[in-house]
mmCIF file of all heavy atoms in Angstrom:
data_model
loop_
_atom_site.group_PDB
_atom_site.id
_atom_site.type_symbol
_atom_site.label_atom_id
_atom_site.label_comp_id
_atom_site.label_asym_id
_atom_site.label_seq_id
_atom_site.Cartn_x
_atom_site.Cartn_y
_atom_site.Cartn_z
ATOM 1 N N HIS A 828 73.994 34.161 12.634
ATOM 2 C CA HIS A 828 74.185 33.428 13.886
ATOM 3 C C HIS A 828 73.942 31.937 13.664
ATOM 4 O O HIS A 828 73.749 31.183 14.598
ATOM 5 C CB HIS A 828 73.250 33.998 14.957
ATOM 6 C CG HIS A 828 73.386 33.365 16.301
ATOM 7 N ND1 HIS A 828 74.594 33.223 16.942
ATOM 8 C CD2 HIS A 828 72.460 32.849 17.128
ATOM 9 C CE1 HIS A 828 74.398 32.649 18.112
ATOM 10 N NE2 HIS A 828 73.106 32.403 18.249
ATOM 11 N N SER A 829 73.916 31.527 12.429
ATOM 12 C CA SER A 829 73.753 30.152 11.953
ATOM 13 C C SER A 829 72.346 29.905 11.462
ATOM 14 O O SER A 829 71.401 30.621 11.810
ATOM 15 C CB SER A 829 74.115 29.095 13.002
ATOM 16 O OG SER A 829 73.039 28.857 13.895
ATOM 17 N N HIS A 832 71.645 26.514 14.458
ATOM 18 C CA HIS A 832 72.033 26.698 15.870
ATOM 19 C C HIS A 832 72.664 25.438 16.468
ATOM 20 O O HIS A 832 72.446 25.089 17.625
ATOM 21 C CB HIS A 832 70.844 27.179 16.718
ATOM 22 C CG HIS A 832 71.278 28.082 17.818
ATOM 23 N ND1 HIS A 832 71.461 27.652 19.110
ATOM 24 C CD2 HIS A 832 71.573 29.400 17.823
ATOM 25 C CE1 HIS A 832 71.845 28.660 19.871
ATOM 26 N NE2 HIS A 832 71.923 29.738 19.107
ATOM 27 N N LYS A 833 73.477 24.779 15.657
ATOM 28 C CA LYS A 833 74.211 23.598 16.125
ATOM 29 C C LYS A 833 75.563 24.030 16.685
ATOM 30 O O LYS A 833 76.047 25.114 16.406
ATOM 31 C CB LYS A 833 74.416 22.608 14.982
ATOM 32 C CG LYS A 833 73.131 21.964 14.520
ATOM 33 C CD LYS A 833 73.386 20.957 13.418
ATOM 34 C CE LYS A 833 72.084 20.300 12.996
ATOM 35 N NZ LYS A 833 72.275 19.368 11.883
ATOM 36 N N TYR A 835 79.058 24.341 16.355
ATOM 37 C CA TYR A 835 79.943 24.293 15.188
ATOM 38 C C TYR A 835 81.184 23.415 15.362
ATOM 39 O O TYR A 835 81.594 22.761 14.411
ATOM 40 C CB TYR A 835 80.327 25.707 14.766
ATOM 41 C CG TYR A 835 79.338 26.372 13.826
ATOM 42 C CD1 TYR A 835 78.064 25.851 13.573
ATOM 43 C CD2 TYR A 835 79.690 27.527 13.165
ATOM 44 C CE1 TYR A 835 77.189 26.466 12.706
ATOM 45 C CE2 TYR A 835 78.810 28.156 12.286
ATOM 46 C CZ TYR A 835 77.562 27.621 12.060
ATOM 47 O OH TYR A 835 76.701 28.230 11.187
ATOM 48 N N ARG A 866 78.482 34.908 14.122
ATOM 49 C CA ARG A 866 78.727 34.607 15.536
ATOM 50 C C ARG A 866 78.282 33.177 15.774
ATOM 51 O O ARG A 866 77.083 32.884 15.735
ATOM 52 C CB ARG A 866 77.975 35.557 16.469
ATOM 53 C CG ARG A 866 78.264 35.228 17.934
ATOM 54 C CD ARG A 866 77.657 36.204 18.895
ATOM 55 N NE ARG A 866 76.220 36.206 18.948
ATOM 56 C CZ ARG A 866 75.485 35.328 19.640
ATOM 57 N NH1 ARG A 866 76.050 34.330 20.286
ATOM 58 N NH2 ARG A 866 74.176 35.440 19.656
ATOM 59 N N PRO A 867 79.224 32.263 15.984
ATOM 60 C CA PRO A 867 78.852 30.860 16.180
ATOM 61 C C PRO A 867 77.920 30.679 17.377
ATOM 62 O O PRO A 867 78.065 31.354 18.406
ATOM 63 C CB PRO A 867 80.202 30.168 16.430
ATOM 64 C CG PRO A 867 81.195 31.046 15.741
ATOM 65 C CD PRO A 867 80.676 32.442 15.948
ATOM 66 N N PRO A 868 76.941 29.779 17.240
ATOM 67 C CA PRO A 868 76.023 29.521 18.350
ATOM 68 C C PRO A 868 76.752 29.115 19.629
ATOM 69 O O PRO A 868 77.787 28.439 19.579
ATOM 70 C CB PRO A 868 75.175 28.357 17.837
ATOM 71 C CG PRO A 868 75.258 28.458 16.354
ATOM 72 C CD PRO A 868 76.634 28.982 16.066
ATOM 73 N N TYR A 869 76.204 29.531 20.733
ATOM 74 C CA TYR A 869 76.693 29.198 22.077
ATOM 75 C C TYR A 869 78.063 29.787 22.380
ATOM 76 O O TYR A 869 78.661 29.457 23.398
ATOM 77 C CB TYR A 869 76.735 27.671 22.293
ATOM 78 C CG TYR A 869 75.477 26.968 21.888
ATOM 79 C CD1 TYR A 869 75.405 26.278 20.683
ATOM 80 C CD2 TYR A 869 74.343 27.022 22.696
ATOM 81 C CE1 TYR A 869 74.237 25.648 20.291
ATOM 82 C CE2 TYR A 869 73.167 26.390 22.313
ATOM 83 C CZ TYR A 869 73.122 25.707 21.114
ATOM 84 O OH TYR A 869 71.963 25.089 20.732
ATOM 85 N N GLY A 870 78.595 30.610 21.505
ATOM 86 C CA GLY A 870 79.955 31.094 21.699
ATOM 87 C C GLY A 870 80.947 29.946 21.600
ATOM 88 O O GLY A 870 82.063 30.014 22.116
ATOM 89 N N ASP A 871 80.540 28.890 20.922
ATOM 90 C CA ASP A 871 81.288 27.646 20.844
ATOM 91 C C ASP A 871 82.097 27.631 19.547
ATOM 92 O O ASP A 871 81.540 27.463 18.456
ATOM 93 C CB ASP A 871 80.280 26.493 20.860
ATOM 94 C CG ASP A 871 80.893 25.142 21.123
ATOM 95 O OD1 ASP A 871 82.098 25.077 21.437
ATOM 96 O OD2 ASP A 871 80.152 24.138 21.015
#
Side-chain angles (χ1 to χ4, degrees):
H828 182 51
S829 83
H832 213 262
K833 292 182 179 177
Y835 274 12
R866 181 175 67 81
Y869 312 102
D871 194 7

